[in-house]
Amino acid sequence: MPEKPYRDLNTYFRGLFGGRVHKVTVDAGLSCPNRDGTLSTGGCIYCNARGSGTGAHQQGISIGQQIERSKTRIARRFKTNRLMAYFQSFTNTYAPFDRLKAIYDEALAVEGVVGLAIGTRPDCVTGDVLDLLEEYARSRLIWIEYGLQSAHDRTLALINRGHDFACFEKAVAATRHRGINICAHVILGLPGESRRDMLDTADIIADMGIDGLKLHLLYVVRGTALEALYRDGRYHCLEQREYVDRVCAFIERLPETMIIQRLTGDPHPNELVAPAWSLEKRETLEMIHDLFRERNTWQGKQYSGS
């Protein structure tokens, strides 16, 4: 069995830069077509009005200032001055081209920033934006993070995602061979999905040429449509051991080259409705690593692709 059961992000960064790189979340104040009325106004059933944002943009804090304010703390705690600017909240390719270029340029201009990670939807990328990211990628590390959540169209419709799996396939195909790294986001525990459904998503994305993966637990947040389903008894959260099992089974079906960037999420304690165990992130991560050892398994062990 390999020294680590999966290819983790820190090891990947150390291989590229010879040391640690820390991702800094920046809030660009962008929106989402699934909330502003373009597709719908309610958004995905699990997303609230914050959309994982920090609120920094609303406070008038610029992109550069957000990164600079984090640098001293990161240098002291993590012993590194290398940073990745992570555009996380909402859809970070959903704005006029000139605005996008301005915010990306502002982030890259901060000393110590080695690249960008841009969270977005697969239905919100244009050729012009991909051309720009390809240009950056000639000298910087560029990741684009596409929210897939599930490879099953029935699930995407149920969670009001606003796009189908074919849209994700098209975005990945348009992004590949440009020097841009692609990360897929997948949520485990979506309504109506069995363990087999979740593992089918792993099998489907395994051979798509995707460079990285983020796994998330579906937790219930206040002010969402999912909260109403949960309180009506129409949605039941995964138990902690169920989630741990699905993470291990998912990862062992992926190629060893794929970088596992996240094993679970970080709910805001004051917004979380359920499950309470999702706040015990360290415990969950320890359980995942323990289960890998117990099963004598690792990333790629069950991968059957090319």
Side-chain angles (χ1 to χ4, degrees):
M1 182 172 174
E3 183 180 349
K4 290 189 176 182
Y6 56 89
R7 190 182 183 202
D8 67 289
L9 186 62
N10 283 336
T11 301
Y12 162 75
F13 280 145
R14 290 181 186 279
L16 283 179
F17 296 100
R20 187 182 178 99
V21 177
H22 191 81
K23 293 179 78 171
V24 180
T25 299
V26 293
D27 185 342
L30 302 182
S31 185
C32 171
N34 211 17
R35 297 196 70 90
D36 69 2
T38 302
L39 295 175
S40 72
T41 55
C44 302
I45 65 171
Y46 48 77
C47 184
N48 69 1
R50 278 184 51 165
S52 302
T54 63
H57 180 268
Q58 277 190 327
Q59 298 169 36
I61 307 172
S62 71
I63 299 296
Q65 289 171 332
Q66 290 177 49
I67 300 171
E68 290 286 357
R69 289 184 177 188
S70 300
K71 285 176 68 172
T72 302
R73 173 184 58 82
I74 289 168
R76 182 172 60 249
R77 181 177 177 185
F78 298 104
K79 313 302 181 189
T80 184
N81 58 3
R82 300 185 188 93
L83 309 173
M84 283 280 290
Y86 177 27
F87 290 84
Q88 179 182 20
S89 60
F90 291 121
T91 306
N92 292 282
T93 58
Y94 186 58
F97 177 85
D98 288 346
R99 183 180 179 192
L100 294 175
K101 186 177 186 305
I103 61 175
Y104 300 158
D105 285 348
E106 183 177 356
L108 289 170
V110 177
E111 184 178 359
V113 172
V114 299
L116 306 176
I118 300 169
T120 190
R121 293 168 55 94
D123 56 349
C124 290
V125 286
T126 64
D128 286 347
V129 171
L130 290 176
D131 288 345
L132 175 64
L133 299 183
E134 181 177 6
E135 181 180 338
Y136 291 144
R138 295 190 181 104
S139 59
R140 303 295 187 97
L141 179 61
I142 304 297
W143 279 85
I144 191 164
E145 302 190 8
Y146 288 126
L148 169 61
Q149 322 313 357
S150 171
H152 303 289
D153 285 345
R154 67 181 187 279
T155 302
L156 297 178
L158 181 62
I159 65 175
N160 196 40
R161 185 64 188 160
H163 65 75
D164 58 11
F165 179 68
C167 179
F168 176 78
E169 290 181 296
K170 182 179 178 181
V172 169
T175 308
R176 290 186 67 192
H177 310 302
R178 288 175 173 265
I180 304 166
N181 296 285
I182 303 169
C183 181
H185 288 221
V186 171
I187 297 177
L188 301 181
L190 290 167
E193 288 212 341
S194 65
R195 184 180 189 273
R196 179 69 263 167
D197 291 330
M198 299 176 213
L199 299 188
D200 283 345
T201 292
D203 291 336
I204 289 167
I205 68 173
D207 281 321
M208 290 184 63
I210 292 168
D211 304 288
L213 173 75
K214 284 187 175 179
L215 289 174
H216 302 259
L217 164 71
L218 182 62
Y219 45 77
V220 183
V221 174
R222 299 187 193 283
T224 64
L226 184 62
E227 181 186 11
L229 291 177
Y230 174 78
R231 296 197 183 280
D232 288 346
R234 292 181 288 161
Y235 173 70
H236 300 280
C237 303
L238 288 176
E239 298 293 339
Q240 190 176 27
R241 290 191 178 277
E242 289 180 309
Y243 182 75
V244 168
D245 162 74
R246 284 146 181 76
V247 168
C248 292
F250 199 103
I251 290 174
E252 68 181 0
R253 307 181 81 86
L254 302 176
E256 293 180 347
T257 54
M258 194 178 291
I259 300 155
I260 310 303
Q261 295 202 18
R262 173 174 287 177
L263 296 177
T264 189
D266 296 287
H268 294 283
N270 61 334
E271 294 181 350
L272 181 69
V273 174
W277 66 260
S278 63
L279 295 173
E280 305 298 331
K281 183 175 182 179
R282 177 174 295 181
E283 179 182 83
T284 300
L285 294 177
E286 289 176 354
M287 289 174 65
I288 290 169
H289 291 130
D290 287 345
L291 189 58
F292 271 117
R293 286 191 293 269
E294 289 171 18
R295 292 181 175 175
N296 189 32
T297 191
W298 54 87
Q299 180 180 347
K301 187 176 182 181
Q302 300 296 330
Y303 174 58
S304 57
S306 56

